[in-house]
Amino acid sequence: MLSAQQVEEIHRASLKILSETGVKVDNSRAVEIFSDAGATIEKHKEKVVVKIPAKLVEDCIKKTPGKVTYQGRLEKCDYTPAGVNVSFTTFGECNYIIDLHNHKVRPSIKKDCRESALICDAIDSIKVVERPLNPSDCPPATQTLHNAESIFTNTAKHAFIGAGNVHSLNKMNEIAKICLGGKEINNRKIFTATVCPVSPLGLGKDCCDIIIEAALLDIGLLIFSMPLAGATAPVTLAGALVLQNAEILSGLVLAQLTKQGTPCTYGSAATIMDLTHVDVSLGALEMALLSAAAARLAQYYELPSLICGGISDSKVPDAQAGYEFSYSALLCAQAGGSIISGLGVLEKGITFDYAKLMMDVEMSNFLTRVIEGMKISPENLALEIIDEVGQEGEYLTHTHTFDHMREQSTVNIFNRLKRPDWQEEGEKYLFEKAYKEAENLISNHRPDLLSKSQLEDISELISQYELELGINRDEELK
Amino acid sequence: MYETELISQTVIDGDAERVIQLTEKALEKGFLAEDILENALMIGMNAVADKFKHRKVMIPEVLMSTRAMHAGMITLTPHLQKTRKLKKTKVLIGTVAGDLHDIGKNLLKMILESIGVEVIDLGIDVSLKEFIQSVRKEKPQYLMMSSLLTTTMPVMLEVIEELIKCDMKRGLKVVVGGGPVSEVFANEIGADLYFNDPFEVRKYFIEKYCTG
Ligand code: B12
């Protein structure tokens, strides 16, 4: 991917953008924070541009924790990315889902949010949950809260959620506290707040509000930028990469200036605007390249990263979806992204599909093994055993085989059957098995549940908030 | 004949300067403005739109052509009867409150401007109040709202309700669009028109104001 020298070059270019071009900041409180720390503030007609000196940026990078533990509701669910560790998760939030039963696409509802959280809980290799779906049957103003409820109550794993605005963030935090059984007892942080800078070079009002408030509440942030090369960023990938880097750093600076030590996850959703189709492409090879490069930058800054990988532009869980997942997820994994986000996602990021989820999970397990490579050690070289068996024996019954056979790769839904056996089992295509497997997990998995009173408290909190907002749920448009 | 072909080719090439020169020359030579519009500018632009539809050209090329077309239109305007109506058409456009997505909206704006429609862009995160005040001030024939988030779609309904309440909806066509917005949703909230593609909007305007 990028050489050490190229990484340096991108870094220096980003500092130049931040100090000379500056970032548009649409939030007076944030402007004040930047200003107090020594940034230059330029007021134009309707916009305020903040120019951040290189030294300030570099100081803030140093203050950002390198080691982050994404805490679950239960300690056993904690995830701390380290070294070559990669993990995979979903991508959010999709507006549509391919119905598990009739395989037709439809808008997602709260039930889908619950079930997708449940299945993420069931799958061991998913370490953190990025909210996969949007509850379109809930009032728009509180959809993010209904989503948080669906996730927190169906999995004890750490969640990444966008709050939308600071009020929802505070409510979300209250919901998290209920899940933990009251703030005094437990100070775990079970979610990370996702914020998006707006390319090119903009920090919006809500984005700043959330960064500031999350930092004050000790909630970690995912600073998730999405420049589109050719539309909101230079069409050349290096230009898009450096723009994204500057945007992420500007968010990080605001977080550290608000409260030093706020965990920040480096988030990359950079890709292209396909100028022929006039739409984004998330299966594009450019997204894979940009994500992998972003992973390198995050490593340079010693930050954990969440990068997009494995999303497909296909509408169905077909060969295109499989190819697009495999090559890009592999590249991202090789580049060492801490969390690779894209499991189960089709149609350029707007449709979630259980078959793709199960297929992707199987593939991601392969990838995790592939990047570990093979270990060369005396035990593994097995010279003594080779000598012992010589030219005539076999290894099937050797103790060395017994000792190591569980290390072999195996399949869950991929097919390694002989053709006659495959025919006997009904000549199933992969996606059919994948849907079946998802159905099984959803009906049989039992997560660590919250108590009845906790569930009631959460639902009461949301209803109360809706009342305050003047939302009458029965009157809502579907 | 040769003149008009050259102009349409120049529109296809996206060379605005040259389109202006050629259009002026054609007028001097006695070509009718209507003739130049229909048989030169439009033909060129339609060819580009068609190529675009078949993915033979990329959007920056289309936008260069729309710019060239726009330049030709401006040159013709003093001489045109037919497009007077289009010239007088004013569109107010904005992305609704809470929503910062504007790529689709900006595209629509550029394409409308290319055919001579006056577009007033309220930008992103436009509140109910801003929409109402601007409609009151600008008195457009069309109000176009874009939303890319399920959480911000309801703002469109609020705007329509408020327009009706303030008796400002008459004579004003509300057009909605953006990722999650569907025809069904548009009908439910009482919008007048829905398009999922800016080129459809362009077609609608041309058919309504420029032909016949
Ligand atoms: C680019 C993008 C962003 C960029 C926006 C940059 C910008 N300047 O616009 C950034 C990174 C800032 C962003 C932020 C967020 N985004 Co966003 N974003 C997208 C993305 C990838 C592409 C949208 C796009 O530009 N498409 C290309 C244009 C050309 O298409 P279009 O806008 O649909 O427009 C076409 C038509 O609809 C039509 N049209 C559009 N408007 C109008 C209006 C009228 C009147 C008419 C007639 C036609 C029309 O014309 C266009 C051309 O054909 C979509 C996913 C996707 N694949 O669509 C998510 C998406 C819309 N975003 C999403 C989310 C969740 C967010 C965030 C909330 C993320 C977060 N923090 O968690 C924030 C919200 C910020 C905010 N308050 O608005 C979700 C929405 C989920 C939902 N609940 O609805 C999506 C679906 C992605 C996902 N799966 O998560 N996003």
Side-chain angles (χ1 to χ4, degrees), chain A residues 24 26 93 95-96 134 136 140-141 143-144 196 198 204-206 228 231-232 273-278 476-478, chain B residues 52 55-60 98 100 102-103 107 124-125 148-154 157 179-181 185 188-189:
Chain A
K24 177 182 152 192
D26 198 8
E93 55 192 48
N95 288 343
Y96 301 93
N134 168 260
S136 70
Q143 278 174 3
T144 56
C196 295
V198 180
K205 182 180 173 302
D206 290 325
L228 301 174
T232 61
M273 178 75 162
D274 177 326
L275 297 171
T276 308
H277 290 79
V278 198
E476 276 298 322
L477 265 177
K478 200 186 75 68
Chain B
F52 175 70
R55 299 192 199 93
K56 295 273 188 284
V57 290
M58 300 176 96
I59 194 73
L100 309 177
D102 65 357
I103 300 171
L107 218 62
I124 50 173
D125 197 11
L148 263 284
L149 296 170
T150 55
T151 47
T152 58
M153 281 159 64
L157 172 65
V181 179
F185 176 79
E188 267 175 14
I189 63 168

Short mmCIF file of all heavy atoms in Angstrom, two decimals, chain A residues 24 26 93 95-96 134 136 140-141 143-144 196 198 204-206 228 231-232 273-278 476-478, chain B residues 52 55-60 98 100 102-103 107 124-125 148-154 157 179-181 185 188-189:
data_model
loop_
_atom_site.label_atom_id
_atom_site.label_comp_id
_atom_site.label_asym_id
_atom_site.label_seq_id
_atom_site.Cartn_x
_atom_site.Cartn_y
_atom_site.Cartn_z
N LYS A 24 -14.40 24.66 7.34
CA LYS A 24 -15.60 25.44 7.64
C LYS A 24 -16.26 24.86 8.88
O LYS A 24 -16.59 23.67 8.90
CB LYS A 24 -16.54 25.38 6.43
CG LYS A 24 -17.84 26.11 6.67
CD LYS A 24 -18.75 25.98 5.46
CE LYS A 24 -20.19 26.07 5.90
NZ LYS A 24 -21.14 25.69 4.90
N ASP A 26 -19.41 25.13 11.44
CA ASP A 26 -20.73 25.71 11.49
C ASP A 26 -21.30 25.63 12.91
O ASP A 26 -22.39 25.12 13.13
CB ASP A 26 -21.61 24.90 10.51
CG ASP A 26 -22.87 25.63 10.13
OD1 ASP A 26 -22.98 26.81 10.50
OD2 ASP A 26 -23.73 25.03 9.48
N GLU A 93 -26.22 3.29 8.19
CA GLU A 93 -27.31 2.36 8.38
C GLU A 93 -28.09 2.19 7.10
O GLU A 93 -28.36 3.17 6.41
CB GLU A 93 -28.25 2.88 9.48
CG GLU A 93 -28.72 4.27 9.14
CD GLU A 93 -29.43 5.00 10.26
OE1 GLU A 93 -28.92 5.02 11.39
OE2 GLU A 93 -30.51 5.56 10.02
N ASN A 95 -31.24 1.46 4.66
CA ASN A 95 -32.66 1.79 4.71
C ASN A 95 -33.54 0.63 4.26
O ASN A 95 -34.74 0.65 4.46
CB ASN A 95 -32.97 2.95 3.77
CG ASN A 95 -32.44 4.26 4.30
OD1 ASN A 95 -32.12 4.36 5.46
ND2 ASN A 95 -32.35 5.26 3.44
N TYR A 96 -32.92 -0.31 3.59
CA TYR A 96 -33.70 -1.43 3.05
C TYR A 96 -33.10 -2.75 3.49
O TYR A 96 -31.93 -2.84 3.83
CB TYR A 96 -33.71 -1.39 1.51
CG TYR A 96 -34.30 -0.11 0.97
CD1 TYR A 96 -33.48 0.96 0.65
CD2 TYR A 96 -35.68 0.03 0.82
CE1 TYR A 96 -34.02 2.15 0.16
CE2 TYR A 96 -36.23 1.21 0.35
CZ TYR A 96 -35.39 2.27 0.03
OH TYR A 96 -35.92 3.44 -0.43
N ASN A 134 -32.12 0.88 9.69
CA ASN A 134 -32.89 2.02 10.16
C ASN A 134 -34.33 1.57 10.45
O ASN A 134 -34.92 0.87 9.64
CB ASN A 134 -32.86 3.06 9.04
CG ASN A 134 -33.85 4.17 9.27
OD1 ASN A 134 -34.92 4.18 8.69
ND2 ASN A 134 -33.51 5.09 10.12
N SER A 136 -37.67 2.26 10.05
CA SER A 136 -38.49 3.23 9.31
C SER A 136 -39.91 3.32 9.86
O SER A 136 -40.64 4.24 9.54
CB SER A 136 -38.53 2.89 7.82
OG SER A 136 -39.28 1.72 7.62
N PRO A 140 -39.46 9.59 12.88
CA PRO A 140 -38.14 10.01 12.39
C PRO A 140 -37.27 10.66 13.46
O PRO A 140 -36.08 10.38 13.53
CB PRO A 140 -38.48 11.00 11.29
CG PRO A 140 -39.79 10.52 10.76
CD PRO A 140 -40.53 9.99 11.95
N ALA A 141 -37.87 11.49 14.30
CA ALA A 141 -37.06 12.23 15.27
C ALA A 141 -36.43 11.32 16.31
O ALA A 141 -35.45 11.70 16.97
CB ALA A 141 -37.90 13.29 15.95
N GLN A 143 -35.79 7.86 15.64
CA GLN A 143 -35.32 6.61 15.03
C GLN A 143 -33.97 6.17 15.59
O GLN A 143 -33.73 4.99 15.82
CB GLN A 143 -35.23 6.76 13.49
CG GLN A 143 -36.58 6.57 12.82
CD GLN A 143 -36.57 6.86 11.33
OE1 GLN A 143 -35.54 7.15 10.74
NE2 GLN A 143 -37.74 6.77 10.70
N THR A 144 -33.09 7.14 15.83
CA THR A 144 -31.76 6.74 16.33
C THR A 144 -31.89 6.11 17.73
O THR A 144 -31.14 5.20 18.07
CB THR A 144 -30.79 7.94 16.40
OG1 THR A 144 -31.37 8.97 17.20
CG2 THR A 144 -30.50 8.50 15.02
N CYS A 196 -20.00 12.56 11.13
CA CYS A 196 -19.49 12.68 9.76
C CYS A 196 -19.13 14.12 9.44
O CYS A 196 -20.01 14.98 9.40
CB CYS A 196 -20.53 12.24 8.75
SG CYS A 196 -20.96 10.52 8.83
N VAL A 198 -18.49 16.92 6.68
CA VAL A 198 -19.07 17.00 5.34
C VAL A 198 -17.98 17.47 4.37
O VAL A 198 -17.44 18.56 4.51
CB VAL A 198 -20.26 17.98 5.29
CG1 VAL A 198 -20.84 18.04 3.87
CG2 VAL A 198 -21.35 17.56 6.26
N GLY A 204 -20.15 20.26 10.41
CA GLY A 204 -21.50 20.82 10.56
C GLY A 204 -21.87 21.07 12.01
O GLY A 204 -21.14 20.70 12.93
N LYS A 205 -23.03 21.69 12.19
CA LYS A 205 -23.44 22.08 13.53
C LYS A 205 -23.63 20.87 14.44
O LYS A 205 -23.05 20.80 15.52
CB LYS A 205 -24.76 22.87 13.45
CG LYS A 205 -25.20 23.33 14.80
CD LYS A 205 -26.49 24.13 14.79
CE LYS A 205 -26.92 24.39 16.22
NZ LYS A 205 -27.12 23.16 17.02
N ASP A 206 -24.46 19.91 14.00
CA ASP A 206 -24.71 18.75 14.84
C ASP A 206 -23.45 17.93 15.07
O ASP A 206 -23.22 17.41 16.15
CB ASP A 206 -25.79 17.86 14.19
CG ASP A 206 -27.16 18.53 14.24
OD1 ASP A 206 -27.45 19.23 15.22
OD2 ASP A 206 -27.94 18.35 13.28
N LEU A 228 -16.21 11.95 -1.72
CA LEU A 228 -16.50 11.22 -2.95
C LEU A 228 -15.62 11.79 -4.05
O LEU A 228 -15.84 12.93 -4.50
CB LEU A 228 -17.98 11.35 -3.31
CG LEU A 228 -18.94 10.83 -2.22
CD1 LEU A 228 -20.39 11.11 -2.60
CD2 LEU A 228 -18.74 9.34 -2.00
N ALA A 231 -16.66 14.32 -6.90
CA ALA A 231 -17.83 15.16 -6.58
C ALA A 231 -17.54 16.07 -5.39
O ALA A 231 -17.60 17.29 -5.52
CB ALA A 231 -19.05 14.29 -6.30
N THR A 232 -17.23 15.48 -4.25
CA THR A 232 -16.96 16.32 -3.08
C THR A 232 -15.47 16.30 -2.71
O THR A 232 -15.08 16.78 -1.66
CB THR A 232 -17.79 15.87 -1.86
OG1 THR A 232 -17.42 14.51 -1.55
CG2 THR A 232 -19.28 15.92 -2.13
N MET A 273 -17.40 9.04 -6.65
CA MET A 273 -18.67 9.31 -7.28
C MET A 273 -18.49 8.76 -8.69
O MET A 273 -17.63 9.25 -9.44
CB MET A 273 -18.87 10.83 -7.33
CG MET A 273 -20.14 11.23 -8.00
SD MET A 273 -21.47 10.90 -6.83
CE MET A 273 -22.72 11.89 -7.53
N ASP A 274 -19.21 7.74 -9.04
CA ASP A 274 -19.09 7.17 -10.37
C ASP A 274 -19.69 8.17 -11.36
O ASP A 274 -20.90 8.41 -11.36
CB ASP A 274 -19.83 5.83 -10.42
CG ASP A 274 -19.83 5.19 -11.80
OD1 ASP A 274 -19.87 5.95 -12.80
OD2 ASP A 274 -19.80 3.96 -11.88
N LEU A 275 -18.84 8.78 -12.15
CA LEU A 275 -19.28 9.90 -12.98
C LEU A 275 -20.01 9.45 -14.24
O LEU A 275 -20.52 10.28 -14.99
CB LEU A 275 -18.09 10.80 -13.32
CG LEU A 275 -17.44 11.46 -12.09
CD1 LEU A 275 -16.15 12.16 -12.45
CD2 LEU A 275 -18.40 12.43 -11.40
N THR A 276 -20.07 8.17 -14.46
CA THR A 276 -20.88 7.66 -15.56
C THR A 276 -22.29 7.37 -15.07
O THR A 276 -23.27 7.71 -15.71
CB THR A 276 -20.26 6.38 -16.15
OG1 THR A 276 -18.90 6.65 -16.45
CG2 THR A 276 -20.98 5.96 -17.40
N HIS A 277 -22.37 6.75 -13.90
CA HIS A 277 -23.68 6.41 -13.34
C HIS A 277 -24.26 7.53 -12.49
O HIS A 277 -25.41 7.48 -12.08
CB HIS A 277 -23.59 5.14 -12.50
CG HIS A 277 -23.35 3.90 -13.29
ND1 HIS A 277 -22.11 3.57 -13.76
CD2 HIS A 277 -24.19 2.94 -13.72
CE1 HIS A 277 -22.20 2.43 -14.44
NE2 HIS A 277 -23.46 2.04 -14.44
N VAL A 278 -23.45 8.53 -12.21
CA VAL A 278 -23.82 9.62 -11.31
C VAL A 278 -24.42 9.10 -10.02
O VAL A 278 -25.53 9.44 -9.62
CB VAL A 278 -24.79 10.62 -11.95
CG1 VAL A 278 -24.78 11.92 -11.16
CG2 VAL A 278 -24.37 10.92 -13.36
N GLU A 476 -48.29 9.04 13.45
CA GLU A 476 -47.13 9.10 12.55
C GLU A 476 -47.43 8.51 11.19
O GLU A 476 -48.09 7.50 11.07
CB GLU A 476 -45.95 8.33 13.17
CG GLU A 476 -45.16 9.13 14.14
CD GLU A 476 -44.50 10.33 13.49
OE1 GLU A 476 -44.05 10.21 12.35
OE2 GLU A 476 -44.47 11.39 14.14
N LEU A 477 -46.89 9.17 10.20
CA LEU A 477 -46.92 8.57 8.87
C LEU A 477 -46.05 7.34 8.91
O LEU A 477 -45.02 7.34 9.53
CB LEU A 477 -46.25 9.53 7.88
CG LEU A 477 -47.11 10.47 7.10
CD1 LEU A 477 -46.23 11.34 6.27
CD2 LEU A 477 -48.06 9.70 6.22
N LYS A 478 -46.48 6.31 8.27
CA LYS A 478 -45.64 5.12 8.25
C LYS A 478 -44.34 5.39 7.50
O LYS A 478 -44.32 6.05 6.48
CB LYS A 478 -46.38 3.96 7.60
CG LYS A 478 -45.78 2.62 7.99
CD LYS A 478 -46.41 1.51 7.25
CE LYS A 478 -46.00 1.40 5.83
NZ LYS A 478 -44.90 1.10 5.26
N PHE B 52 -25.67 10.21 -22.32
CA PHE B 52 -25.52 10.05 -20.88
C PHE B 52 -26.37 8.90 -20.38
O PHE B 52 -25.95 8.07 -19.58
CB PHE B 52 -25.89 11.35 -20.17
CG PHE B 52 -25.86 11.23 -18.69
CD1 PHE B 52 -24.66 11.09 -18.02
CD2 PHE B 52 -27.03 11.22 -17.95
CE1 PHE B 52 -24.62 10.94 -16.65
CE2 PHE B 52 -27.01 11.09 -16.59
CZ PHE B 52 -25.80 10.94 -15.93
N ARG B 55 -24.89 5.77 -20.88
CA ARG B 55 -23.57 5.72 -20.22
C ARG B 55 -22.40 5.81 -21.18
O ARG B 55 -21.39 5.14 -21.02
CB ARG B 55 -23.46 4.46 -19.37
CG ARG B 55 -24.52 4.48 -18.31
CD ARG B 55 -24.34 3.46 -17.24
NE ARG B 55 -25.63 3.31 -16.59
CZ ARG B 55 -26.53 2.40 -16.93
NH1 ARG B 55 -26.25 1.51 -17.83
NH2 ARG B 55 -27.70 2.38 -16.34
N LYS B 56 -22.58 6.66 -22.20
CA LYS B 56 -21.48 6.86 -23.17
C LYS B 56 -20.65 8.09 -22.81
O LYS B 56 -19.55 8.26 -23.30
CB LYS B 56 -22.04 7.02 -24.58
CG LYS B 56 -22.74 5.79 -25.11
CD LYS B 56 -21.75 4.84 -25.78
CE LYS B 56 -22.45 3.69 -26.48
NZ LYS B 56 -22.95 2.67 -25.54
N VAL B 57 -21.22 8.97 -21.99
CA VAL B 57 -20.44 10.12 -21.53
C VAL B 57 -20.54 10.21 -20.00
O VAL B 57 -21.42 9.60 -19.40
CB VAL B 57 -20.95 11.46 -22.13
CG1 VAL B 57 -20.64 11.55 -23.60
CG2 VAL B 57 -22.44 11.64 -21.87
N MET B 58 -19.66 10.99 -19.41
CA MET B 58 -19.66 11.12 -17.96
C MET B 58 -20.25 12.48 -17.57
O MET B 58 -20.25 13.41 -18.36
CB MET B 58 -18.24 10.97 -17.43
CG MET B 58 -17.65 9.63 -17.79
SD MET B 58 -15.94 9.47 -17.29
CE MET B 58 -16.11 8.64 -15.74
N ILE B 59 -20.72 12.56 -16.34
CA ILE B 59 -21.49 13.73 -15.92
C ILE B 59 -20.73 15.06 -16.07
O ILE B 59 -21.36 16.05 -16.45
CB ILE B 59 -22.11 13.53 -14.51
CG1 ILE B 59 -23.18 14.58 -14.22
CG2 ILE B 59 -21.07 13.54 -13.41
CD1 ILE B 59 -24.48 14.38 -14.96
N PRO B 60 -19.43 15.12 -15.83
CA PRO B 60 -18.78 16.43 -16.04
C PRO B 60 -18.93 16.90 -17.49
O PRO B 60 -19.07 18.10 -17.75
CB PRO B 60 -17.31 16.15 -15.70
CG PRO B 60 -17.35 15.01 -14.75
CD PRO B 60 -18.48 14.15 -15.24
N GLY B 98 -31.96 19.50 8.96
CA GLY B 98 -31.36 18.31 9.55
C GLY B 98 -30.59 17.48 8.54
O GLY B 98 -29.94 16.50 8.88
N LEU B 100 -27.79 17.27 5.38
CA LEU B 100 -26.67 17.98 4.77
C LEU B 100 -26.31 17.42 3.39
O LEU B 100 -25.34 17.84 2.78
CB LEU B 100 -25.44 17.88 5.68
CG LEU B 100 -25.65 18.27 7.14
CD1 LEU B 100 -24.37 18.04 7.95
CD2 LEU B 100 -26.08 19.73 7.27
N ASP B 102 -26.24 17.12 -0.36
CA ASP B 102 -26.63 18.08 -1.40
C ASP B 102 -26.11 17.76 -2.80
O ASP B 102 -26.27 18.56 -3.71
CB ASP B 102 -26.21 19.49 -1.00
CG ASP B 102 -24.70 19.65 -0.93
OD1 ASP B 102 -23.98 18.65 -1.12
OD2 ASP B 102 -24.24 20.78 -0.66
N ILE B 103 -25.50 16.62 -2.98
CA ILE B 103 -24.94 16.33 -4.30
C ILE B 103 -26.04 16.24 -5.35
O ILE B 103 -25.96 16.87 -6.41
CB ILE B 103 -24.10 15.05 -4.26
CG1 ILE B 103 -22.96 15.20 -3.25
CG2 ILE B 103 -23.54 14.73 -5.65
CD1 ILE B 103 -22.20 13.93 -2.97
N LEU B 107 -26.87 18.92 -8.53
CA LEU B 107 -26.93 18.43 -9.91
C LEU B 107 -28.20 18.94 -10.58
O LEU B 107 -28.19 19.44 -11.70
CB LEU B 107 -26.97 16.90 -9.85
CG LEU B 107 -26.22 16.15 -10.90
CD1 LEU B 107 -24.74 16.47 -10.80
CD2 LEU B 107 -26.43 14.65 -10.69
N ILE B 124 -28.36 23.81 2.21
CA ILE B 124 -28.68 22.62 2.98
C ILE B 124 -29.30 23.01 4.32
O ILE B 124 -29.28 24.17 4.70
CB ILE B 124 -27.41 21.79 3.26
CG1 ILE B 124 -26.31 22.69 3.83
CG2 ILE B 124 -26.94 21.09 2.01
CD1 ILE B 124 -25.08 21.97 4.29
N ASP B 125 -29.85 22.00 5.02
CA ASP B 125 -30.35 22.20 6.37
C ASP B 125 -31.33 23.38 6.42
O ASP B 125 -31.25 24.24 7.30
CB ASP B 125 -29.15 22.47 7.29
CG ASP B 125 -29.49 22.28 8.77
OD1 ASP B 125 -30.58 21.76 9.06
OD2 ASP B 125 -28.68 22.69 9.62
N LEU B 148 -32.32 13.13 1.93
CA LEU B 148 -31.61 11.86 1.75
C LEU B 148 -31.71 10.97 2.98
O LEU B 148 -31.17 9.89 3.02
CB LEU B 148 -30.12 12.12 1.46
CG LEU B 148 -29.63 12.12 0.02
CD1 LEU B 148 -29.52 10.72 -0.53
CD2 LEU B 148 -30.54 12.94 -0.87
N LEU B 149 -32.38 11.48 4.01
CA LEU B 149 -32.44 10.73 5.26
C LEU B 149 -33.89 10.44 5.64
O LEU B 149 -34.75 11.32 5.52
CB LEU B 149 -31.79 11.53 6.40
CG LEU B 149 -30.29 11.83 6.29
CD1 LEU B 149 -29.88 12.82 7.36
CD2 LEU B 149 -29.49 10.55 6.41
N THR B 150 -34.14 9.24 6.11
CA THR B 150 -35.50 8.93 6.55
C THR B 150 -35.89 9.84 7.71
O THR B 150 -37.06 10.13 7.90
CB THR B 150 -35.60 7.47 7.03
OG1 THR B 150 -34.61 7.26 8.04
CG2 THR B 150 -35.35 6.50 5.89
N THR B 151 -34.89 10.28 8.47
CA THR B 151 -35.19 11.12 9.63
C THR B 151 -35.57 12.55 9.23
O THR B 151 -36.12 13.28 10.05
CB THR B 151 -33.97 11.19 10.57
OG1 THR B 151 -32.82 11.45 9.77
CG2 THR B 151 -33.78 9.91 11.31
N THR B 152 -35.26 12.96 8.01
CA THR B 152 -35.57 14.34 7.63
C THR B 152 -36.72 14.44 6.62
O THR B 152 -37.21 15.53 6.35
CB THR B 152 -34.33 15.05 7.05
OG1 THR B 152 -33.87 14.32 5.92
CG2 THR B 152 -33.22 15.15 8.06
N MET B 153 -37.14 13.30 6.08
CA MET B 153 -38.23 13.33 5.10
C MET B 153 -39.51 14.05 5.60
O MET B 153 -40.14 14.75 4.84
CB MET B 153 -38.58 11.91 4.65
CG MET B 153 -37.61 11.37 3.61
SD MET B 153 -37.65 9.58 3.54
CE MET B 153 -39.31 9.26 2.98
N PRO B 154 -39.86 13.86 6.89
CA PRO B 154 -41.11 14.49 7.36
C PRO B 154 -41.11 16.01 7.24
O PRO B 154 -42.18 16.61 7.22
CB PRO B 154 -41.20 14.07 8.83
CG PRO B 154 -40.29 12.92 8.98
CD PRO B 154 -39.23 13.04 7.94
N LEU B 157 -43.31 17.20 4.55
CA LEU B 157 -44.74 17.24 4.87
C LEU B 157 -45.06 18.52 5.66
O LEU B 157 -46.02 19.22 5.35
CB LEU B 157 -45.14 16.00 5.68
CG LEU B 157 -46.55 16.00 6.25
CD1 LEU B 157 -47.59 15.99 5.13
CD2 LEU B 157 -46.79 14.81 7.18
N GLY B 179 -32.74 10.30 -2.36
CA GLY B 179 -32.64 8.86 -2.11
C GLY B 179 -33.88 8.12 -1.65
O GLY B 179 -34.47 7.38 -2.43
N PRO B 180 -34.31 8.32 -0.38
CA PRO B 180 -35.39 7.49 0.14
C PRO B 180 -36.80 7.97 -0.25
O PRO B 180 -37.78 7.32 0.08
CB PRO B 180 -35.21 7.60 1.66
CG PRO B 180 -34.59 8.94 1.86
CD PRO B 180 -33.75 9.22 0.64
N VAL B 181 -36.88 9.10 -0.92
CA VAL B 181 -38.20 9.64 -1.28
C VAL B 181 -38.75 8.86 -2.46
O VAL B 181 -38.06 8.64 -3.45
CB VAL B 181 -38.08 11.14 -1.65
CG1 VAL B 181 -39.43 11.71 -2.05
CG2 VAL B 181 -37.49 11.92 -0.49
N PHE B 185 -44.54 8.08 -1.33
CA PHE B 185 -44.36 9.04 -0.25
C PHE B 185 -44.76 10.44 -0.72
O PHE B 185 -45.47 11.17 -0.01
CB PHE B 185 -42.91 9.04 0.24
CG PHE B 185 -42.61 10.07 1.29
CD1 PHE B 185 -42.97 9.86 2.61
CD2 PHE B 185 -41.98 11.27 0.96
CE1 PHE B 185 -42.70 10.82 3.58
CE2 PHE B 185 -41.71 12.24 1.92
CZ PHE B 185 -42.07 12.00 3.24
N GLU B 188 -48.41 10.69 -0.65
CA GLU B 188 -48.92 10.70 0.72
C GLU B 188 -48.84 12.08 1.36
O GLU B 188 -49.72 12.49 2.08
CB GLU B 188 -48.09 9.73 1.58
CG GLU B 188 -48.68 8.34 1.65
CD GLU B 188 -47.74 7.40 2.42
OE1 GLU B 188 -46.81 7.88 3.10
OE2 GLU B 188 -47.98 6.19 2.32
N ILE B 189 -47.74 12.78 1.09
CA ILE B 189 -47.57 14.07 1.75
C ILE B 189 -48.16 15.22 0.93
O ILE B 189 -48.09 16.37 1.32
CB ILE B 189 -46.09 14.38 2.06
CG1 ILE B 189 -45.26 14.50 0.76
CG2 ILE B 189 -45.50 13.34 2.98
CD1 ILE B 189 -43.89 15.09 0.99
#
